[in-house]
Amino acid sequence: GWFDRMNAGIKSYAKSSGNDATMTGADDASPEKQIKIIQDTIASKPDAITVVPNSPQSLEGVLKKAMDRGIKVVTHEADNEKNTMIDVEAFDNTAYGAALNDRLATCMHQDGKWATFVGSLGSRSQVQWADGGIENAKKKYPKMQLVETNIETNNDGEHAYEQAKQVLRKHPDIKGFQGSSSLDVLGIGRAVEEAGLVGKVCVYGTGLPTEAGKFLESGAINGIAFWDPKLAGEAMNKLAKMLLDGKTVQNGANLGLPGYEKVTVTKGPGKGVIVRGQGWVNVDKSNYKQYNF
């Protein structure tokens, strides 16, 4: 669902700009499959490649190969990627994780056992969100006890469900979960609902309104946050076109997209830069229907 929405942004960009912009992906989050797709894409000699890395470290070699061949490279959710020209982030990842954790803490009355899930330990952003929540709780909520740290779900709702069931068996008195992948909350919410723990266990994390809606309605998921992947898709392509036109993105630039009206530009870990927007959207049962993705 997440990448279906991103693809809508890429198609929107292609229509408005007249440029040939398309998206492809594997049937799971395997870094090896992503590498193969990028290798095949390089062979087709595109002007630019934009990518959301499943594992930034795993892609260093193939993205260097792309840039060595003169292909412009733009990444998203990978602020540790060295072989990229621009990495675009919707917001500061640590602050995003901390904000999710504040909502979780309020639901838990700042007391009790909790756990963090990540779709992939190789996903830089997801780990930063989880760690941002963990550090936030350490600083602000001394009665919250983290009992399971960054359980990996393989960006798979079914696996998240199985992992959540294990956590509930191991810690029958657990009070909260913070998920990272948009599929984490779906698996956790399902496990909480089946265990009859709605109203007793708090669940927050990244999610999509259309996917999480039924669990928001039942109370199995208390709240989600997200940024619009459609806008991220458009932003990546706009930045790729700037590179192709020989332009550089300046601190404070307006990309003409909601949340990217005044971007922050900092040096990346390689020769490229990191471009950050300003916001995320908080959603719960009261307002999720405002968003149709």
Side-chain angles (χ1 to χ4, degrees):
W2 188 266
F3 289 101
D4 288 341
R5 179 68 176 175
M6 178 170 278
N7 198 28
I10 293 167
K11 287 180 178 178
S12 174
Y13 169 79
K15 184 176 181 180
S16 64
S17 68
N19 293 308
D20 180 13
T22 59
M23 187 180 84
T24 186
D27 54 4
D28 61 39
S30 159
E32 292 75 21
K33 289 182 182 179
Q34 195 170 45
I35 290 169
K36 178 66 166 60
I37 287 171
I38 296 171
Q39 287 172 335
D40 292 344
T41 303
I42 291 170
S44 71
K45 299 181 179 179
D47 297 303
I49 291 174
T50 66
V51 58
V52 184
N54 293 324
S55 170
Q57 188 174 8
S58 297
L59 297 192
E60 293 290 10
V62 73
L63 293 183
K64 182 178 187 301
K65 180 181 178 182
M67 290 197 295
D68 286 347
R69 296 193 178 190
I71 298 169
K72 308 301 184 186
V73 172
V74 176
T75 52
H76 176 49
E77 291 188 64
D79 67 2
N80 60 333
E81 194 78 66
K82 294 179 181 178
N83 287 293
T84 184
M85 302 174 78
I86 298 175
D87 178 71
V88 58
E89 302 288 327
F91 41 70
D92 179 272
N93 289 320
T94 300
Y96 174 79
L100 274 172
N101 186 254
D102 281 334
R103 296 169 71 195
L104 176 66
T106 298
C107 180
M108 292 175 58
H109 304 291
Q110 304 179 16
D111 190 7
K113 297 178 180 178
W114 68 294
T116 57
F117 279 35
V118 295
S120 168
L121 290 169
S123 172
R124 168 76 165 180
S125 296
Q126 291 185 18
V127 172
Q128 285 178 318
W129 303 337
D131 288 351
I134 291 167
E135 290 305 311
N136 186 68
K138 283 181 181 177
K139 292 177 184 175
K140 296 166 69 173
Y141 309 115
K143 292 184 179 180
M144 286 176 61
Q145 180 187 355
L146 185 67
V147 292
E148 299 289 345
T149 306
N150 296 0
I151 292 174
E152 194 170 27
T153 64
N154 302 331
N155 292 299
D156 183 316
E158 189 68 27
H159 193 56
Y161 165 67
E162 294 295 339
Q163 294 282 44
K165 286 200 298 183
Q166 288 185 28
V167 173
L168 290 170
R169 284 194 293 266
K170 186 176 177 182
H171 306 284
D173 57 343
I174 196 165
K175 297 297 182 188
F177 289 86
Q178 181 169 331
S180 298
S181 163
S182 64
L183 299 175
D184 290 349
V185 290
L186 301 183
I188 298 166
R190 180 181 161 199
V192 166
E193 194 168 80
E194 287 186 2
L197 294 172
V198 172
K200 297 178 181 179
V201 176
C202 301
V203 180
Y204 286 86
T206 300
L208 287 179
T210 54
E211 293 180 341
K214 66 177 182 179
F215 293 118
L216 288 167
E217 285 289 346
S218 74
I221 296 174
N222 301 84
I224 58 173
F226 56 87
W227 65 106
D228 190 341
K230 177 179 184 287
L231 297 174
E234 290 185 79
M236 284 195 291
N237 279 274
K238 282 195 168 192
L239 291 166
K241 185 63 166 64
M242 287 180 67
L243 291 172
L244 289 168
D245 291 342
K247 299 176 181 177
T248 56
V249 58
Q250 301 295 324
N251 197 51
N254 183 353
L255 301 186
L257 296 166
Y260 300 88
E261 297 97 340
K262 190 177 181 182
V263 298
T264 301
V265 181
T266 56
K267 187 181 182 308
K271 294 182 179 180
V273 297
I274 300 170
V275 174
R276 289 187 174 90
Q278 294 87 33
W280 56 83
V281 180
N282 289 331
V283 161
D284 57 24
K285 183 179 179 178
S286 70
N287 66 338
Y288 80 92
K289 290 181 181 178
Q290 296 175 22
Y291 304 91
N292 62 347
F293 60 89

